[in-house]
Amino acid sequence: MNPKSSESHLESRDRPQQNVLVLGATGSIGTATVDVLRNLNQVDPARRWCLWGASAHSRVDKLLEIQAEAERWQSQSSPCRLLFSDQDVAKSRVESERSLQNPVNHAGSISVGPESLVQAAQSPEVDTVVAAIVGRAGLESTLAAIESGKRVALANKETLVVAGPVVQEKLNNSPAELLPVDSEHSAIFQCLQDSKNSPRKLILTASGGPFRTCTKQQMAEATRESALAHPTWEMGPKITIDSATMMNKALEIIEARWLFGLPADAIEVMVHPQSIIHSMVEFQDGSVLSQMSPPDMRLPIQYALTYPDRLPCDAPIFDRQKNWNLDLEAADLDRFPALGLGFEVAKVGGTAGAVLNAANEEAVGLFLDGKIRFTDIVDGCADVLRHHNFEPSPPLGRLLQLDGWARGELRKRMNLPS
Ligand code: NAD
Ligand code: MG
């Protein structure tokens, strides 16, 4: 992480119009970001917050709704560009659906294909890119935004899991700022703001997901519906399953390792079922700071957009009239073996993150399609990780090759065709 206060960034932050590109706008983080932009236009009189462009993979209706929503607060001279990452989305279909939905205003260009997202992330008109695509599919556009010196509000943790050292190197050679959106990493970032001293420990909190109190046997029988029923957060399906296996926390351990530059053994996980304490930082003198707020992603998203400013936010506030029990428990690495994989990968780096991430994405997809059992997800990931030929300093191309290899290997180990 490198929030910079170079002159170019101060100037960019002071511009009367902030142009924001939201990649993955139709998802859970993407739609929350659109809410945040609407709010900022009411509470930040000094700047206009413009949805410069928005991407979806293939959901035309949803992206058109987002564009129409943005047109309610931003001027017609700043239309929202539409980007579809799925090559098969026909531009003509988008045009005709748009004119049906909105016969008066047809503004905002339409682009199709993954390359169009990379090009948009490189546009000199864009100040901030919100990286809210799910999975490894967000890697290229996030890297392009970093290389082009943008402020990057990072929700797409998979980019750091797959290619942490590549991201670090690009950040070192660019004026870009990488700000965390993930609530735990935003909490740590917030706790570190007033300190000139480096922390001793980062303590990531985890809700524990829907199977927090379940036995291994019960988890082996978990259904798709029970795994998708998260107790405290409403999120997209992939991260919801990751929360149930606690692979999400494993990915966050790796994310924290690269964002904050601390070794794996300085990172801990504690289970906190209420999801109010978003994470904690322990300093050299033993003092622990935490950031608290009800679980709502609009707060960390807004902070990543307006940092270092804090502005009124639409997210609910911590209700002090209520009696709260804020529980903190040690994480159980035996029932949730994904956590051990997270620590291992954060420690060794190299090719391990790309392999773990790809195996997990493949396994989650297979579980959601009813092809494997819930506990096969993490067992399969561990198996693939153990069987890969580790390399300590791979270039980006090698990481992408291994992504394909790990997906095929996971299927092979589950006795499924590639
Ligand atoms: P989601 O499934 O709700 O949305 C995913 C978005 O990515 C959609 O806009 C979709 O169109 C797009 N997308 C899907 N496949 C794509 C592809 N192949 N190419 C390009 N775009 C594609 O996901 P989400 O819950 O919003 O999560 C997005 C990211 O944010 C993930 O990396 C997740 O780990 C992270 N995150 C989410 C939350 C949360 O509360 N939802 C919290 C912290 C971090
Ligand atoms: Mg998180």
Side-chain angles (χ1 to χ4, degrees):
M1 173 136 32
N2 66 337
K4 295 172 183 165
S5 52
S6 67
E7 243 167 57
S8 67
H9 276 102
L10 290 176
E11 280 167 18
S12 150
R13 229 175 23 236
D14 290 341
R15 275 190 209 137
Q17 175 157 316
Q18 293 289 308
N19 286 335
V20 181
L21 168 65
V22 182
L23 299 175
T26 51
S28 159
I29 293 290
T31 48
T33 304
V34 175
D35 271 2
V36 166
L37 292 176
R38 189 201 308 107
N39 174 58
L40 285 175
N41 279 295
Q42 286 165 3
V43 299
D44 188 7
R47 291 168 290 196
R48 281 189 311 277
W49 290 84
C50 169
L51 183 63
W52 181 92
S55 91
H57 191 53
S58 54
R59 287 215 40 202
V60 174
D61 54 342
K62 181 85 188 173
L63 200 60
L64 287 173
E65 255 175 49
I66 288 169
Q67 186 191 40
E69 160 84 35
E71 276 165 6
R72 282 185 212 120
W73 79 70
Q74 65 198 40
S75 81
Q76 290 200 359
S77 58
S78 312
C80 170
R81 290 142 190 88
L82 301 179
L83 310 155
F84 293 94
S85 36
D86 184 350
Q87 202 75 58
D88 293 335
V89 173
K91 254 192 196 185
S92 52
R93 182 187 142 208
V94 183
E95 273 158 7
S96 65
E97 281 192 33
R98 183 166 59 179
S99 32
L100 276 176
Q101 206 188 77
N102 187 350
V104 185
N105 189 358
H106 291 167
S109 62
I110 300 162
S111 314
V112 173
E115 192 52 33
S116 67
L117 276 60
V118 169
Q119 280 164 8
Q122 291 166 335
S123 168
E125 291 176 19
V126 170
D127 300 297
T128 297
V129 175
V130 179
I133 289 174
V134 61
R136 172 255 170 273
L139 180 79
E140 283 84 356
S141 49
T142 307
L143 291 180
I146 294 172
E147 276 169 340
S148 308
K150 308 300 180 200
R151 170 171 289 202
V152 180
L154 184 77
N156 178 253
K157 64 192 85 179
E158 293 91 345
T159 285
L160 278 173
V161 174
V162 173
V166 176
V167 171
Q168 264 191 342
E169 197 201 313
K170 289 196 189 295
L171 278 171
N172 291 339
N173 297 311
S174 145
E177 298 176 290
L178 188 64
L179 288 127
V181 163
D182 218 347
S183 54
E184 296 77 1
H185 305 73
S186 174
I188 291 171
F189 178 56
Q190 294 182 51
C191 292
L192 292 174
Q193 283 314 301
D194 292 326
S195 177
K196 292 186 178 65
N197 302 300
S198 59
R200 185 161 70 183
K201 294 269 183 201
L202 306 179
I203 304 141
L204 295 169
T205 52
S207 70
F211 305 138
R212 179 174 61 87
T213 57
C214 288
T215 62
K216 278 182 176 179
Q217 184 55 40
Q218 286 168 323
M219 281 190 258
E221 286 150 22
T223 62
R224 186 182 190 277
E225 288 61 39
S226 61
L228 282 172
H230 197 279
T232 49
W233 291 99
E234 265 181 50
M235 309 178 284
K238 192 260 178 182
I239 184 176
T240 305
I241 300 300
D242 285 349
S243 300
T245 55
M246 290 195 79
M247 185 62 84
N248 182 47
K249 214 48 56 181
L251 303 182
E252 291 184 356
I253 293 166
I254 305 163
E255 182 184 12
R257 187 255 168 276
W258 295 116
L259 273 176
F260 302 108
L262 260 71
D265 60 12
I267 302 171
E268 288 177 14
V269 173
M270 289 198 82
V271 173
H272 169 53
Q274 293 84 7
S275 299
I276 298 284
I277 300 172
H278 294 299
S279 275
M280 298 177 274
V281 174
E282 183 184 275
F283 291 93
Q284 304 301 331
D285 58 1
S287 191
V288 174
L289 298 190
S290 73
Q291 182 262 330
M292 297 195 284
S293 53
D296 191 310
M297 289 306 294
R298 286 174 294 183
L299 194 156
I301 294 168
Q302 182 168 303
Y303 191 63
L305 294 180
T306 62
Y307 170 84
D309 301 333
R310 286 188 187 273
L311 293 165
C313 182
D314 257 351
I317 57 163
F318 187 50
D319 182 355
R320 290 174 296 274
Q321 299 308 310
K322 247 172 104 174
N323 292 328
W324 286 94
N325 286 321
L326 298 180
D327 301 315
L328 287 163
E329 308 157 7
D332 184 342
L333 274 73
D334 181 45
R335 280 187 308 121
F336 293 100
L339 293 173
L341 298 182
F343 284 117
E344 186 185 321
V345 171
K347 191 168 168 195
V348 301
T351 46
V355 169
L356 176 66
N357 181 68
N360 180 55
E361 281 189 27
E362 193 68 21
V364 169
L366 290 171
F367 171 70
L368 287 171
D369 288 346
K371 302 229 166 76
I372 63 173
R373 288 184 315 170
F374 180 75
T375 40
D376 289 338
I377 300 174
V378 176
D379 290 351
C381 288
D383 210 13
V384 174
L385 201 54
R386 300 267 131 70
H387 283 88
H388 100 277
N389 290 324
F390 178 75
E391 295 164 39
S393 311
L396 182 61
R398 180 73 185 130
L399 295 172
L400 299 183
Q401 260 177 0
L402 277 168
D403 176 277
W405 171 83
R407 288 169 198 265
E409 196 63 17
L410 186 282
R411 292 183 87 95
K412 203 163 91 189
R413 287 173 187 280
M414 296 289 145
N415 296 318
L416 291 165
S418 295

